[in-house]
Amino acid sequence: MENYLYIALFAPLLGSLTAALFGARPKTLFTGLWTSALLAVSWISSIILFMHVYADPMANTVHVKLIDWISAGSLSIPFGFVVDQVSVTMMIVVTTVSTMVHVYAIGYMSHDKGFNRFFSWLSAFVFSMMVLVMSDNFAGLFIGWEGVGLCSWGLIGFWYHKESASWAANEAFIMNRIADLGMLIGIFLIYWNTGTLQYSEAFAAMGNLDHVLLVTIGAFLFVGAMGKSAQFPLHTWLADAMEGPTPVSALIHAATMVTAGVYLVIRANPLYDMIPEVGYFIASLGAFVAMFAATMALVNRDIKRVIAYSTLSQLGYMFVAAGLGAYWVALFHLMTHAFFKALLFLGAGNVMHAMDDELDPFKMGGLYKVMKPTAILMILASVALAGIYPFAGFFSKDKILEVAFNGDHYILWGVLWVTAGLTAFYSFRLIMLTFFGDERYKKLGFHPHEAYPYMLWAMAPLAVLATIAGFFEHAFIDFVTTLLPTYEFYTHHVEMILIAVTSAIAILGIATAVIIYKNGMLHPKWMERPCYKLLSNQYYIPQLYDTLFSKPYKELSTIFWKQIDLKVVDATVDLVANTFFSAGSSSRGVQSGNLSTMLRWMALGMALLLTFGFIFVVAATLLG
Amino acid sequence: MSEHILSILVFFPLVAGLLGILVDKDSIRPYAITVAGIEFLLSLWLWSEFDMSFAGMQFIESVPLIDQFGISYTLGVDGISLFLIIMTTFVTFISLGSLTITNRVKELMLTVLILELTMVGVFVALDAILFYLFWELSLVPMLYIIGVWGGPNRLYAGIKFFLYTFTGSLIMLVGMLYMAYLYYQATGTWSFSLLEWYRLQLPFDLQLWLFGAFFLGFAIKVPMFPFHTWLPYAHGQAPTIGSVILAAVLLKMGTYGFVRFSLPLFPDASVAFMVPIAVLSIIMIIYTAMVAYAQEDIKQVVAYSSVSHMGVIILGTFALNVEGITGSIFLMISHGIVSGALFLLVGVIYDRRHTKLMSEFGGLASVMPRYATIFGIMMMASVGLPLTIGFVGEFLSLLGFYQQSHMLTLVAGIAIIVGAIYMLSAYKKAFFGNVTKEENKNLPDVNKVELFSLVPLVVLVVVLGLYPKPILDPVDKSVTAMVQLMQAKAVTEDGKNRIANVLVTKEAK
Amino acid sequence: MITLNHYLVLSGLLFGIGLVGVLKRKNLLMLFFATEIMLNAVNIGFTAISNHYGDLSGQMFAFFIIAIAASEVAVGLGLLVLMYKRKTSVNLDTLTTMKG
């Protein structure tokens, strides 16, 4: 079984390295096929591991230790990997979506000069994510954490000749780094207080720790999660990350990297169980983000950004569940969301390709006639996202709302409920504007066509999973709760009412969207309103960050250089040197070569010596 | 031969260099590269003969020089200095290998080889006067390199470098002499031998003064804020080989001095000065990172980044526990490799464009993809990405210092953020975007001579990032012994508490 | 009565005159004069003290000084004449070739 672990883990790395050899060369189809094949191998290994673990969850956990990585003093960090219920679920999600995206990308990037480089980065990303979810210690987690940060930098900024793309890449990396500092401090705290970074040992030792300390650890680890999962206020990078190619968005920003934060909270559940107040904060923040992102998606004019905000919103949902202690619910929603969100992104990619990379849905409309398969897939994904029975999103999202209601967190429930309606609304706003209504694109001279068949076939499994995944809920619960804590629901009597209410608002959202956008765009008058402007400018937060942080930092740096380093620190050194130099220059006057002057100096010197001698003798006699 | 390996390592470059005067001008390059290569192989042989399980000094040679004052020619190596020696010989070897200077090559080779003598000498000297001798001697070839083969403002830069460092060293010399005098008072014999000094326990107030004296000498060399302003000029005006050796090795002499002298000789003073030095280190880290961000010249960015990294090294050293000090030594080696590589890379583009201003670049990634990849890897190593060599040392240093102060480590941790900011920004200015300047359109990618040095560096960055154990183990052993010594020697209450008690923690495990 | 003190005061005054002359005079010849005055002032002092204490070594020393002063002036004047031939001036301000 260990061999399958190694295969699942290292196959993407092998693909990445071999593709990198061709990195500078023009497209060779081989790299795309080879990396996709290796990803498929990794996928199959993951499934085998899954079945193995499923057969006997507690006994069949696979645990390997490769080599000792760092050992200094009493610190010992090995490269260790574990396949348990949580990690194997993540592995399945990651490899499934990744394989589909790889195949899709062969078609999507077929005309791109950097084809080989793309697949190298993409597989490297999958490898980092696998390291992240399969590690059995916090340091390994951090390796994967930074690794996905690096790969997302490379992939967001893939089209590096575009200024906006490289800027977005740097923004993502730096924002993640800010959060990583928090995580690093959390790791330090864990080490110095429990003496180890291995999950099992650390969590066991945490039971003996002081409560305030635990809160600190939990808070710092969550700061790290905030960066990766783009929780407010570290959220602006996610929308800007849409600069990268669409397969990147599908893989990284829908299914895998952004869920790393949720994974961290799930993995650290023994810790968060002990500090429910931090959990409540996480949940509240999650609910806030869910609503916050949904409002921005309502008015956005970029199909990828709408889907990005949707991801952000759903991440909020996951954090609500995890924060309130319902870890398996969060994991479940993570899984279902990965499927339908990736599907949505890939569909959007098809639309973009058809429309010559145009992103504004206001310029589309009526594409259903030209791109029926894509439209159907996207509608399916949107319905799953809106949470309509029998699609997967219904099961997972509904459970989260139940969790909120269950703990008597009615405000959270309310926020999430309204957001569910908004979610349905903006998803279908997108669908209506893109695929239905009047065909605005014709006036603008676009000639859309459907994507390559194999790309559609790559999307198909995701569609299937988005549809049926919900029915595996009970099997999932039984499987996962052998490791994760179970969550007691006390709401059985109101369960049906809650389901009805949730579905009602979702259907209401869909209906509203269909009615409003049936015939095309909204009246332009709507866009003049201040609240519309506020939302479409993302609450002016990016501008705020620019004025508060980016510009002052640059100004301060220049001041530090030109005013302080050059004028103060260096000038002091030069001042010392100049003092010596000018002292020497002025004393040089003594050596004037003029006999008269020298005689005067001589006389003066004699007088001084005599005086000193006199004083010395007097002092010596007086002091005895 | 193995008893005298250290003397051979120290003097072989000099002898071979002097013989090189006889060599013909056209074959001086292969000659020098061979000499440096042999030196490197000798240091590798030293590593293979090194006993990994022994924490103290090995290969000790001792010949009395001036008996009345106890000055002797004593050499020795332990886990702390072993890898610094190997790094020195390695960096010299590869930087000579990719040299592109064409005028007065013979003199340059000889100068570099003499410099190698002094650098290796500093790391193996176990007698204070001998250490001082090599320390000061290293300034002369460096001054010569900057002054002859440097840029337009080279005389100012070279003289500033020389005089500034020299002043600090003189104060250190006074400290050494006073220390010897104290030893004479305590034992009745004169001795400058470091191993004998280790056994001397000094009263707290004397420790403070001596620590201060040694501190000035080392701090200017490191260079610590606010004594750092000589470095940007020196780097800006020096030729590539000068910058590489300066950044990779000479700066490490300062931090090595802290570990070898300040910490074990004055443990209580180290504890007392820990917070002020930590504050200085944090200023170094953040302030110079911000200054690096404001630079327009890519070599200056790398120069200021050196200072920033040295801040983390000092922080790790003053963590006064095994994790921190081991981390700082590993970071010394890692920084030597990474910044050596970065300066070589800057040299590559300078050789082509004869400018270092980032506004003159832009879009280089499409013109020189291999160069961009190597630069990218080195940049990520500099930023401290896990699985590169840069992460291990930084992680351990910060982890170590966290035990001493939570708040200060949190502030110091900002290093990872500001480091990313200036590095990514510089990389973007130089490599991303469209190729706007006509001169950039047809630049050749890295050639074989340049790859000769860059490829081994990339390999080291990745391999040691994955598997740092062969280096960490001997360092860990020697550092543990040193920390134990410090703990035992500490006279003040604070000292005993703050310095990690290795015996207890090891037993508790 | 003319006591020892009178002679010493005379000697001191003459020495002072000589010193002022050395410090102020720019003409080399005048410098020699002033130096002579100083030397002779010292002679007076030596002789007076020697007479007062009845010890002849003071007067012997005065003889030495006279002899040496004479030879010094001889050499000095010789150099002065040579220098005048070169520079046609005996002003000290023109002699600054030893400037540091």
Side-chain angles (χ1 to χ4, degrees), chain A residues 2-14:
Chain A
E2 279 90 11
N3 290 335
Y4 287 113
L5 192 155
Y6 294 130
I7 296 174
L9 182 62
F10 288 113
L13 178 66
L14 178 63

Side-chain angles (χ1 to χ4, degrees), chain A residues 24 67-75 77 79 142-143 146 150 153 160-161 163 166-167 170 173-174 177-178 180-181 184-185 187-189 191-192 195 197 220 553-554 556-558 560-562 564-566 569-570 573-574, chain B residues 156 160 164 226 228-229 233 287 290-291 293-295 304 322-323 365-366 379-380 383-387 391-392 395-396 398-399 402-403 410 413-414 416-418 421 424 427-428 432-434 465-469 472 476 506:
Chain A
I67 48 175
D68 262 335
W69 186 34
I70 299 177
S71 53
S74 33
L75 174 71
I77 306 178
F79 278 135
F142 193 72
I143 297 177
E146 294 271 308
L150 169 72
W153 174 79
Y160 54 75
H161 51 269
E163 163 73 29
S166 26
W167 187 88
N170 284 355
F173 195 85
I174 292 170
R177 271 266 155 144
I178 298 175
D180 289 347
L181 176 61
L184 208 55
I185 301 286
I187 292 180
F188 291 161
L189 274 168
Y191 173 67
W192 284 116
L197 287 176
F220 273 116
Y553 187 82
K554 176 103 197 152
L556 199 59
S557 299
T558 320
F560 273 164
W561 178 36
K562 295 216 163 105
I564 298 188
D565 211 53
L566 285 180
V569 184
D570 204 31
V573 178
D574 281 355
Chain B
Y156 171 76
K160 187 166 190 163
Y164 209 159
H228 66 283
T229 46
Y233 290 107
Y287 168 82
M290 292 179 77
V291 173
Y293 180 58
Q295 295 299 318
Y304 278 106
V322 180
E323 290 88 349
S366 33
M379 171 186 73
M380 284 304 166
V383 157
L385 194 75
L387 293 189
F391 173 72
V392 181
F395 178 74
L396 282 173
L398 290 175
L399 179 70
Y402 194 76
Q403 201 192 27
L410 179 63
I414 298 180
I416 65 173
I417 303 173
V418 290
I421 295 179
L424 287 177
Y427 192 80
K428 176 163 165 275
F432 290 153
N434 281 316
L466 283 171
Y467 191 55
K469 200 167 148 79
L472 278 179
D476 185 42
K506 279 236 161 1

Side-chain angles (χ1 to χ4, degrees), chain B residues 226-275:
Chain B
F227 309 116
H228 66 283
T229 46
W230 60 267
L231 188 75
Y233 290 107
H235 275 310
Q237 302 302 317
T240 304
I241 188 170
S243 284
V244 170
I245 296 184
L246 177 63
V249 186
L250 268 84
L251 300 189
K252 310 301 176 295
M253 289 187 194
T255 53
Y256 169 77
F258 275 121
V259 175
R260 187 59 92 206
F261 285 85
S262 301
L263 254 58
L265 290 176
F266 320 118
D268 305 283
S270 302
V271 172
F273 274 102
M274 176 173 59
V275 173

